[in-house]
Amino acid sequence: MPLTPNPTVVFVSVPGHHGNIQENVHVKLIDRPIDLENEPVNGGVLLKTIALSSDPYMRYRFREKDEPMFCPPILLDDPVDNFGVGKVVRSEDPNFKPGDLVWGYFSFAEYSVYPPKHPHGLTVPLRKIDPIPGLPLSVYLGPLGLIGSTGYGAWKAFLDDKAKESKTLFVTSGAGGVGTFVIEYAKVVAPHLKIIASAGSDEKVEGLRKRGVVAFNYKTQDANEVLKKEGPIDIYWDNVGGPQLDAALLNFNNFGVIVACGCISSAADTSSVKNFEQIFKRSITVHGFIAFSGAVAPPMATFAQEVGPLVATGKISGQYEHRFSGLKEAVRALNAVHTGENNGKAVIIVDESGL
């Protein structure tokens, strides 16, 4: 049987800690043809990719293989990989059959084998998914995937009780994937909260305001001045770090809580917190976490049971996506979550017909 073209995004050189990932410099789109009938799957499955997720943490994976970090590196000359949804083409695993729709950790390629030949240390079991009528399969990369799991796990672990006694929640990157989920979930479980959110464009700010959020453009408005007017804050969900974290620290009530979810403002650079002393002056509790581990792992037992119906009924929307078309736009999608180009969850649509 003739080989089938298999465009694959491959990691070819380390970008270092400064700047964005560049196409044909740090990653390349290379055709690695595949024999769909005879490619060894070694007891696993052969997958056709439908959609892939671009997430801020991935920038930390483009590094030297021996550099310590909270997530494993991608190895040079290996495909870039992350969470994805797809369809089983061929299976040697009794748990899956051809045609099954699945969620797992996919190579940035049209076709890939699971488990991969050279895993990077990420153990994410492949699981079947059932489409929700009226919603695309990419919803499993957003509120029903890593994005929702991240927001839900940390909320249940750190904020369930705190939110009941609080008045004000501040969320940075409010139009991004996690920010969107946290805002919508807060409106369901803590509707009394006043929600303040920042975003990087007037379009995103307008979208947040339509959802009943006090929103501002952090690029054109001073976060400290906004929080002085709209605060003080009791909970800060931090997706970005940097100057907005410094502004939040100056505008906390005593005994506030920070959920340190990300620091995309310095993912490709270094920065320091100027107002760190406010943490002890105001008795602020800071919770850092990694998805699916530590204190945020136990809530995953109830994630699908609670969040699935909220998405199915529209109380949490599966429609806030920023779609990138095909693997040819993978680099743009990888950078978008750091430059602020994306408005909603960044997803790469590899097979439009499969959605």
Side-chain angles (χ1 to χ4, degrees), residues 147-185:
I147 294 302
S149 299
T150 299
Y152 178 83
W155 186 284
K156 300 297 284 187
F158 308 130
L159 298 179
D160 240 11
D161 291 332
K162 179 63 178 177
K164 295 173 185 176
E165 63 183 31
S166 297
K167 294 182 179 180
T168 307
L169 163 68
F170 174 40
V171 181
T172 47
S173 192
V178 174
T180 294
F181 179 89
V182 169
I183 288 168
E184 294 199 318
Y185 186 71

mmCIF file of all heavy atoms in Angstrom, residues 147-185:
data_model
loop_
_atom_site.group_PDB
_atom_site.id
_atom_site.type_symbol
_atom_site.label_atom_id
_atom_site.label_comp_id
_atom_site.label_asym_id
_atom_site.label_seq_id
_atom_site.Cartn_x
_atom_site.Cartn_y
_atom_site.Cartn_z
ATOM 1 N N ILE A 147 -8.250 22.610 30.339
ATOM 2 C CA ILE A 147 -8.676 23.930 30.799
ATOM 3 C C ILE A 147 -9.667 23.809 31.950
ATOM 4 O O ILE A 147 -9.507 24.398 33.026
ATOM 5 C CB ILE A 147 -9.307 24.721 29.629
ATOM 6 C CG1 ILE A 147 -8.253 25.033 28.567
ATOM 7 C CG2 ILE A 147 -9.965 25.997 30.134
ATOM 8 C CD1 ILE A 147 -7.065 25.805 29.060
ATOM 9 N N GLY A 148 -10.722 23.038 31.727
ATOM 10 C CA GLY A 148 -11.718 22.855 32.776
ATOM 11 C C GLY A 148 -11.174 22.129 33.980
ATOM 12 O O GLY A 148 -11.472 22.481 35.128
ATOM 13 N N SER A 149 -10.350 21.107 33.729
ATOM 14 C CA SER A 149 -9.752 20.350 34.832
ATOM 15 C C SER A 149 -8.884 21.245 35.706
ATOM 16 O O SER A 149 -8.899 21.140 36.937
ATOM 17 C CB SER A 149 -8.906 19.198 34.282
ATOM 18 O OG SER A 149 -9.693 18.303 33.535
ATOM 19 N N THR A 150 -8.131 22.135 35.067
ATOM 20 C CA THR A 150 -7.269 23.054 35.805
ATOM 21 C C THR A 150 -8.102 23.987 36.686
ATOM 22 O O THR A 150 -7.834 24.144 37.880
ATOM 23 C CB THR A 150 -6.418 23.882 34.825
ATOM 24 O OG1 THR A 150 -5.591 22.999 34.067
ATOM 25 C CG2 THR A 150 -5.540 24.878 35.573
ATOM 26 N N GLY A 151 -9.104 24.619 36.085
ATOM 27 C CA GLY A 151 -9.935 25.544 36.838
ATOM 28 C C GLY A 151 -10.736 24.869 37.928
ATOM 29 O O GLY A 151 -10.791 25.337 39.075
ATOM 30 N N TYR A 152 -11.352 23.750 37.604
ATOM 31 C CA TYR A 152 -12.203 23.039 38.556
ATOM 32 C C TYR A 152 -11.390 22.481 39.724
ATOM 33 O O TYR A 152 -11.759 22.653 40.895
ATOM 34 C CB TYR A 152 -12.919 21.910 37.835
ATOM 35 C CG TYR A 152 -13.803 21.054 38.724
ATOM 36 C CD1 TYR A 152 -15.096 21.452 39.044
ATOM 37 C CD2 TYR A 152 -13.351 19.831 39.222
ATOM 38 C CE1 TYR A 152 -15.913 20.670 39.844
ATOM 39 C CE2 TYR A 152 -14.157 19.036 40.019
ATOM 40 C CZ TYR A 152 -15.434 19.462 40.328
ATOM 41 O OH TYR A 152 -16.239 18.677 41.124
ATOM 42 N N GLY A 153 -10.283 21.810 39.413
ATOM 43 C CA GLY A 153 -9.482 21.192 40.468
ATOM 44 C C GLY A 153 -8.986 22.200 41.482
ATOM 45 O O GLY A 153 -9.068 21.975 42.704
ATOM 46 N N ALA A 154 -8.478 23.337 41.003
ATOM 47 C CA ALA A 154 -7.947 24.353 41.920
ATOM 48 C C ALA A 154 -9.063 25.063 42.676
ATOM 49 O O ALA A 154 -8.907 25.414 43.847
ATOM 50 C CB ALA A 154 -7.099 25.358 41.148
ATOM 51 N N TRP A 155 -10.197 25.284 42.007
ATOM 52 C CA TRP A 155 -11.313 25.925 42.714
ATOM 53 C C TRP A 155 -11.780 25.036 43.861
ATOM 54 O O TRP A 155 -11.956 25.497 44.997
ATOM 55 C CB TRP A 155 -12.473 26.207 41.758
ATOM 56 C CG TRP A 155 -13.573 26.989 42.413
ATOM 57 C CD1 TRP A 155 -14.507 26.518 43.308
ATOM 58 C CD2 TRP A 155 -13.829 28.390 42.281
ATOM 59 N NE1 TRP A 155 -15.338 27.534 43.719
ATOM 60 C CE2 TRP A 155 -14.945 28.694 43.104
ATOM 61 C CE3 TRP A 155 -13.241 29.406 41.532
ATOM 62 C CZ2 TRP A 155 -15.473 29.976 43.194
ATOM 63 C CZ3 TRP A 155 -13.772 30.689 41.622
ATOM 64 C CH2 TRP A 155 -14.864 30.969 42.446
ATOM 65 N N LYS A 156 -11.981 23.763 43.579
ATOM 66 C CA LYS A 156 -12.467 22.849 44.614
ATOM 67 C C LYS A 156 -11.446 22.700 45.739
ATOM 68 O O LYS A 156 -11.817 22.604 46.916
ATOM 69 C CB LYS A 156 -12.787 21.479 44.016
ATOM 70 C CG LYS A 156 -13.848 21.497 42.934
ATOM 71 C CD LYS A 156 -15.198 21.957 43.438
ATOM 72 C CE LYS A 156 -15.932 20.905 44.233
ATOM 73 N NZ LYS A 156 -17.307 21.315 44.564
ATOM 74 N N ALA A 157 -10.179 22.692 45.408
ATOM 75 C CA ALA A 157 -9.136 22.478 46.413
ATOM 76 C C ALA A 157 -8.897 23.709 47.278
ATOM 77 O O ALA A 157 -8.655 23.592 48.485
ATOM 78 C CB ALA A 157 -7.831 22.064 45.731
ATOM 79 N N PHE A 158 -8.970 24.911 46.673
ATOM 80 C CA PHE A 158 -8.517 26.104 47.386
ATOM 81 C C PHE A 158 -9.598 27.169 47.638
ATOM 82 O O PHE A 158 -9.424 28.018 48.511
ATOM 83 C CB PHE A 158 -7.376 26.774 46.601
ATOM 84 C CG PHE A 158 -6.254 25.851 46.231
ATOM 85 C CD1 PHE A 158 -5.783 25.795 44.934
ATOM 86 C CD2 PHE A 158 -5.669 25.032 47.185
ATOM 87 C CE1 PHE A 158 -4.740 24.951 44.582
ATOM 88 C CE2 PHE A 158 -4.629 24.181 46.849
ATOM 89 C CZ PHE A 158 -4.160 24.130 45.542
ATOM 90 N N LEU A 159 -10.683 27.145 46.866
ATOM 91 C CA LEU A 159 -11.606 28.270 46.906
ATOM 92 C C LEU A 159 -13.037 27.929 47.302
ATOM 93 O O LEU A 159 -13.845 28.841 47.497
ATOM 94 C CB LEU A 159 -11.637 28.973 45.535
ATOM 95 C CG LEU A 159 -10.322 29.580 45.056
ATOM 96 C CD1 LEU A 159 -10.505 30.215 43.685
ATOM 97 C CD2 LEU A 159 -9.774 30.596 46.054
ATOM 98 N N ASP A 160 -13.371 26.669 47.396
ATOM 99 C CA ASP A 160 -14.763 26.304 47.683
ATOM 100 C C ASP A 160 -15.296 27.024 48.919
ATOM 101 O O ASP A 160 -16.377 27.602 48.898
ATOM 102 C CB ASP A 160 -14.874 24.789 47.865
ATOM 103 C CG ASP A 160 -15.821 24.176 46.838
ATOM 104 O OD1 ASP A 160 -16.215 24.872 45.894
ATOM 105 O OD2 ASP A 160 -16.164 22.988 46.991
ATOM 106 N N ASP A 161 -14.540 26.981 49.997
ATOM 107 C CA ASP A 161 -14.975 27.634 51.231
ATOM 108 C C ASP A 161 -14.711 29.141 51.196
ATOM 109 O O ASP A 161 -15.556 29.938 51.627
ATOM 110 C CB ASP A 161 -14.279 27.012 52.438
ATOM 111 C CG ASP A 161 -14.746 25.586 52.696
ATOM 112 O OD1 ASP A 161 -15.900 25.271 52.350
ATOM 113 O OD2 ASP A 161 -13.949 24.785 53.225
ATOM 114 N N LYS A 162 -13.543 29.540 50.701
ATOM 115 C CA LYS A 162 -13.176 30.953 50.669
ATOM 116 C C LYS A 162 -14.171 31.770 49.857
ATOM 117 O O LYS A 162 -14.533 32.898 50.229
ATOM 118 C CB LYS A 162 -11.771 31.113 50.084
ATOM 119 C CG LYS A 162 -11.284 32.560 49.978
ATOM 120 C CD LYS A 162 -11.159 33.216 51.343
ATOM 121 C CE LYS A 162 -10.639 34.640 51.216
ATOM 122 N NZ LYS A 162 -10.583 35.314 52.543
ATOM 123 N N ALA A 163 -14.648 31.222 48.740
ATOM 124 C CA ALA A 163 -15.561 31.969 47.878
ATOM 125 C C ALA A 163 -16.872 32.307 48.589
ATOM 126 O O ALA A 163 -17.473 33.349 48.325
ATOM 127 C CB ALA A 163 -15.847 31.169 46.609
ATOM 128 N N LYS A 164 -17.308 31.451 49.504
ATOM 129 C CA LYS A 164 -18.581 31.673 50.196
ATOM 130 C C LYS A 164 -18.551 32.933 51.055
ATOM 131 O O LYS A 164 -19.571 33.601 51.221
ATOM 132 C CB LYS A 164 -18.912 30.459 51.055
ATOM 133 C CG LYS A 164 -19.172 29.188 50.249
ATOM 134 C CD LYS A 164 -19.325 27.983 51.166
ATOM 135 C CE LYS A 164 -19.463 26.698 50.340
ATOM 136 N NZ LYS A 164 -19.518 25.492 51.191
ATOM 137 N N GLU A 165 -17.382 33.261 51.607
ATOM 138 C CA GLU A 165 -17.270 34.412 52.498
ATOM 139 C C GLU A 165 -16.655 35.631 51.813
ATOM 140 O O GLU A 165 -16.421 36.655 52.454
ATOM 141 C CB GLU A 165 -16.400 34.027 53.710
ATOM 142 C CG GLU A 165 -14.971 33.659 53.345
ATOM 143 C CD GLU A 165 -14.137 33.217 54.541
ATOM 144 O OE1 GLU A 165 -14.713 32.642 55.473
ATOM 145 O OE2 GLU A 165 -12.913 33.450 54.509
ATOM 146 N N SER A 166 -16.381 35.521 50.528
ATOM 147 C CA SER A 166 -15.706 36.592 49.790
ATOM 148 C C SER A 166 -16.695 37.440 49.000
ATOM 149 O O SER A 166 -17.825 37.029 48.739
ATOM 150 C CB SER A 166 -14.670 35.998 48.833
ATOM 151 O OG SER A 166 -13.662 35.313 49.553
ATOM 152 N N LYS A 167 -16.225 38.633 48.632
ATOM 153 C CA LYS A 167 -17.051 39.549 47.845
ATOM 154 C C LYS A 167 -16.508 39.776 46.439
ATOM 155 O O LYS A 167 -17.288 40.009 45.513
ATOM 156 C CB LYS A 167 -17.159 40.892 48.567
ATOM 157 C CG LYS A 167 -17.908 40.825 49.891
ATOM 158 C CD LYS A 167 -18.009 42.209 50.523
ATOM 159 C CE LYS A 167 -18.776 42.165 51.841
ATOM 160 N NZ LYS A 167 -18.881 43.512 52.468
ATOM 161 N N THR A 168 -15.177 39.718 46.269
ATOM 162 C CA THR A 168 -14.592 40.129 44.994
ATOM 163 C C THR A 168 -13.530 39.143 44.515
ATOM 164 O O THR A 168 -12.642 38.749 45.277
ATOM 165 C CB THR A 168 -13.954 41.531 45.112
ATOM 166 O OG1 THR A 168 -14.922 42.432 45.639
ATOM 167 C CG2 THR A 168 -13.497 42.038 43.752
ATOM 168 N N LEU A 169 -13.631 38.767 43.248
ATOM 169 C CA LEU A 169 -12.690 37.880 42.574
ATOM 170 C C LEU A 169 -12.062 38.638 41.416
ATOM 171 O O LEU A 169 -12.767 39.273 40.627
ATOM 172 C CB LEU A 169 -13.425 36.642 42.057
ATOM 173 C CG LEU A 169 -12.733 35.779 41.000
ATOM 174 C CD1 LEU A 169 -11.512 35.072 41.584
ATOM 175 C CD2 LEU A 169 -13.718 34.766 40.410
ATOM 176 N N PHE A 170 -10.729 38.570 41.312
ATOM 177 C CA PHE A 170 -10.005 39.178 40.198
ATOM 178 C C PHE A 170 -9.330 38.070 39.399
ATOM 179 O O PHE A 170 -8.616 37.233 39.961
ATOM 180 C CB PHE A 170 -8.969 40.181 40.719
ATOM 181 C CG PHE A 170 -8.059 40.764 39.667
ATOM 182 C CD1 PHE A 170 -8.531 41.131 38.414
ATOM 183 C CD2 PHE A 170 -6.704 40.976 39.942
ATOM 184 C CE1 PHE A 170 -7.689 41.673 37.454
ATOM 185 C CE2 PHE A 170 -5.854 41.536 39.000
ATOM 186 C CZ PHE A 170 -6.349 41.882 37.747
ATOM 187 N N VAL A 171 -9.578 38.049 38.090
ATOM 188 C CA VAL A 171 -9.030 37.026 37.200
ATOM 189 C C VAL A 171 -8.243 37.707 36.091
ATOM 190 O O VAL A 171 -8.783 38.563 35.373
ATOM 191 C CB VAL A 171 -10.152 36.173 36.569
ATOM 192 C CG1 VAL A 171 -9.560 35.091 35.663
ATOM 193 C CG2 VAL A 171 -11.033 35.553 37.647
ATOM 194 N N THR A 172 -6.983 37.347 35.937
ATOM 195 C CA THR A 172 -6.202 37.868 34.818
ATOM 196 C C THR A 172 -6.319 36.915 33.629
ATOM 197 O O THR A 172 -6.629 35.740 33.781
ATOM 198 C CB THR A 172 -4.722 38.046 35.188
ATOM 199 O OG1 THR A 172 -4.243 36.879 35.854
ATOM 200 C CG2 THR A 172 -4.528 39.250 36.084
ATOM 201 N N SER A 173 -6.052 37.455 32.441
ATOM 202 C CA SER A 173 -6.265 36.709 31.201
ATOM 203 C C SER A 173 -7.681 36.147 31.179
ATOM 204 O O SER A 173 -7.917 34.977 30.896
ATOM 205 C CB SER A 173 -5.235 35.577 31.055
ATOM 206 O OG SER A 173 -5.252 35.031 29.754
ATOM 207 N N GLY A 174 -8.631 37.020 31.465
ATOM 208 C CA GLY A 174 -10.015 36.604 31.620
ATOM 209 C C GLY A 174 -10.658 36.102 30.348
ATOM 210 O O GLY A 174 -11.678 35.405 30.404
ATOM 211 N N ALA A 175 -10.089 36.424 29.181
ATOM 212 C CA ALA A 175 -10.643 35.944 27.915
ATOM 213 C C ALA A 175 -9.902 34.725 27.399
ATOM 214 O O ALA A 175 -10.227 34.207 26.326
ATOM 215 C CB ALA A 175 -10.609 37.058 26.864
ATOM 216 N N GLY A 176 -8.905 34.256 28.151
ATOM 217 C CA GLY A 176 -8.210 33.031 27.778
ATOM 218 C C GLY A 176 -9.007 31.811 28.203
ATOM 219 O O GLY A 176 -10.097 31.912 28.783
ATOM 220 N N GLY A 177 -8.447 30.630 27.945
ATOM 221 C CA GLY A 177 -9.172 29.410 28.231
ATOM 222 C C GLY A 177 -9.499 29.211 29.701
ATOM 223 O O GLY A 177 -10.667 29.068 30.084
ATOM 224 N N VAL A 178 -8.476 29.217 30.554
ATOM 225 C CA VAL A 178 -8.703 29.005 31.983
ATOM 226 C C VAL A 178 -9.486 30.164 32.579
ATOM 227 O O VAL A 178 -10.402 29.969 33.392
ATOM 228 C CB VAL A 178 -7.366 28.797 32.727
ATOM 229 C CG1 VAL A 178 -7.605 28.716 34.229
ATOM 230 C CG2 VAL A 178 -6.683 27.521 32.256
ATOM 231 N N GLY A 179 -9.135 31.373 32.192
ATOM 232 C CA GLY A 179 -9.845 32.540 32.718
ATOM 233 C C GLY A 179 -11.327 32.487 32.415
ATOM 234 O O GLY A 179 -12.170 32.763 33.286
ATOM 235 N N THR A 180 -11.669 32.108 31.192
ATOM 236 C CA THR A 180 -13.079 31.986 30.808
ATOM 237 C C THR A 180 -13.782 30.949 31.663
ATOM 238 O O THR A 180 -14.898 31.181 32.155
ATOM 239 C CB THR A 180 -13.188 31.610 29.318
ATOM 240 O OG1 THR A 180 -12.698 32.692 28.526
ATOM 241 C CG2 THR A 180 -14.625 31.324 28.930
ATOM 242 N N PHE A 181 -13.138 29.802 31.841
ATOM 243 C CA PHE A 181 -13.773 28.744 32.645
ATOM 244 C C PHE A 181 -13.983 29.205 34.084
ATOM 245 O O PHE A 181 -15.058 29.007 34.659
ATOM 246 C CB PHE A 181 -12.926 27.470 32.639
ATOM 247 C CG PHE A 181 -13.528 26.366 33.474
ATOM 248 C CD1 PHE A 181 -14.429 25.474 32.923
ATOM 249 C CD2 PHE A 181 -13.216 26.244 34.823
ATOM 250 C CE1 PHE A 181 -15.014 24.478 33.691
ATOM 251 C CE2 PHE A 181 -13.797 25.252 35.612
ATOM 252 C CZ PHE A 181 -14.701 24.366 35.038
ATOM 253 N N VAL A 182 -12.958 29.797 34.690
ATOM 254 C CA VAL A 182 -13.055 30.215 36.090
ATOM 255 C C VAL A 182 -14.182 31.222 36.274
ATOM 256 O O VAL A 182 -14.965 31.145 37.226
ATOM 257 C CB VAL A 182 -11.710 30.787 36.579
ATOM 258 C CG1 VAL A 182 -11.860 31.459 37.938
ATOM 259 C CG2 VAL A 182 -10.668 29.678 36.657
ATOM 260 N N ILE A 183 -14.283 32.179 35.357
ATOM 261 C CA ILE A 183 -15.345 33.183 35.449
ATOM 262 C C ILE A 183 -16.720 32.525 35.352
ATOM 263 O O ILE A 183 -17.623 32.804 36.153
ATOM 264 C CB ILE A 183 -15.167 34.247 34.353
ATOM 265 C CG1 ILE A 183 -13.957 35.136 34.678
ATOM 266 C CG2 ILE A 183 -16.427 35.096 34.193
ATOM 267 C CD1 ILE A 183 -13.521 36.034 33.536
ATOM 268 N N GLU A 184 -16.888 31.642 34.388
ATOM 269 C CA GLU A 184 -18.199 31.011 34.205
ATOM 270 C C GLU A 184 -18.529 30.059 35.355
ATOM 271 O O GLU A 184 -19.677 29.986 35.800
ATOM 272 C CB GLU A 184 -18.237 30.276 32.870
ATOM 273 C CG GLU A 184 -18.145 31.221 31.680
ATOM 274 C CD GLU A 184 -18.632 30.577 30.405
ATOM 275 O OE1 GLU A 184 -18.305 29.405 30.161
ATOM 276 O OE2 GLU A 184 -19.355 31.245 29.656
ATOM 277 N N TYR A 185 -17.525 29.328 35.841
ATOM 278 C CA TYR A 185 -17.783 28.423 36.957
ATOM 279 C C TYR A 185 -18.114 29.216 38.225
ATOM 280 O O TYR A 185 -19.006 28.844 38.992
ATOM 281 C CB TYR A 185 -16.578 27.514 37.196
ATOM 282 C CG TYR A 185 -16.825 26.459 38.242
ATOM 283 C CD1 TYR A 185 -17.688 25.387 37.990
ATOM 284 C CD2 TYR A 185 -16.194 26.518 39.481
ATOM 285 C CE1 TYR A 185 -17.923 24.418 38.960
ATOM 286 C CE2 TYR A 185 -16.432 25.549 40.451
ATOM 287 C CZ TYR A 185 -17.292 24.500 40.174
ATOM 288 O OH TYR A 185 -17.533 23.544 41.143
#
